[in-house]
Structures are given as C-alpha cells and as structure tokens.
Amino acid sequence: MFIVDFVFRWAHVLFGITWIGMLYYFNFVQTEYFKEAEAGAKADAMKKLAPRALWWFRWGAMFTFLTGFILLMAARPFGNMGASALILMGSLTGTLMFLNVWLIIWPNQKIVLGLAEGDGPVAAAKAGLASRTNTLFSGPMLFGMLGAKHAPFITPSTTGLIACAALILALEANALFGKQGPMTKVVGVIHMSILLTGVVWALLAFL
C-alpha cells in the first residue's frame, strides 16, 4: 500500500509540474511575446505552437486533478476539519483551477485559435482572466499542499478554513464576471499571488 501511495504522489507532482509549468509559460512568456510579436510570427505561433502547448496544459491539469482526488480520498481528511484545513484549502483552490482550465480557458482558447466559432476578442479576455486567476491561485494552492505536512507551526481552525474558502470563492467569482485589475501585468499577478498566500496563511493561523 505504501508503494501505491508513493506512486500516486509521484504522479501527482509530475503532472502538476507539467500543468503549472505550462500555466507560467502562458502567463509570463507567451502572452507577453504575443503583445510584441509581428503579425506573421504571432499567426504562425497561434497555428503551430499554442495548440501543442494547450494540449499539455489541459491534460496536465486533468491528471493532476485525478491523482490529487485519489490521494485526497485515501487521506480521508474530513474527520478532523481543523487539522486538515490546509490540505482542504489547497484542494479547493486546485479544483477551481482545474475547472477554470476545462470550462473557461480551453473553450475560449479554441475560439481564439479559430478551432471553434465565436467572438475572438471576448473569448481572449475570458481566457486571459481565468488564466491570470489560476496564476493567482497557484501560490495558496502550493501552500496548502506543502503546509499540510511541513508547517507544524500552523494550527488551522475550521473558522480559518471557512474564511479562506469564502475569499477564494469570491476571487473565483471575479474570474467569471470581473476584471484582471492589478493582475494585468506579470509583476502584478506575481505580487498578488504572494499576497494572497500570506492572507490565507494569516486566516488559517489566527482565526
């Protein structure tokens, strides 16, 4: 049983590296390149590069979620909400990120790439906001994953978990209906992710 558990943890981290690595590539590299690229180079990249990158991106997300769900069920974290608040917060954040990939980013990117019909600029804005939100969530998501095992100095409470969940769900609502705000720039989304991680830490530690 220990070997099976280790294999799933190994796979979860491997798929997660693929997913989040592609997420950072899109937000920190490709998006910024597209802003400056010449029309011909951008069109070629959208035709040949972006679809390949999105394939790895969405299937990395899928298998990260599936292996994570199996690990979560095996851990049975629901008996002690206080002790399991970190992993539950990380799981909530990761699940929203997964749903953003498959229900918002990928459907809208298909329109942007000409693989489906729709309003290209509107689709690009929706996909961009969801992608920025996933980048925002990546900090607290990782904090939840690591903190559950490696942050003994935190004694989270059910109240802290509820407060974190409310905050995360409010930010997800912004991903659906709001604007990028300070996340428009790369440096902005990085700073906001670090700030959100700190706020989540404080809520779990002190409420």
Side-chain angles (χ1 to χ4, degrees), residues 81-86 151 154-161 203-207:
M81 290 293 285
S84 303
L86 277 163
I154 297 177
T155 306
S157 66
T158 303
T159 303
L161 174 61
L203 290 174
L204 290 173
F206 300 113
L207 285 187

Side-chain angles (χ1 to χ4, degrees), residues 69-84:
F69 180 78
I70 291 170
L71 290 170
L72 184 65
M73 293 300 99
R76 300 183 183 278
F78 305 105
N80 187 336
M81 290 293 285
S84 303

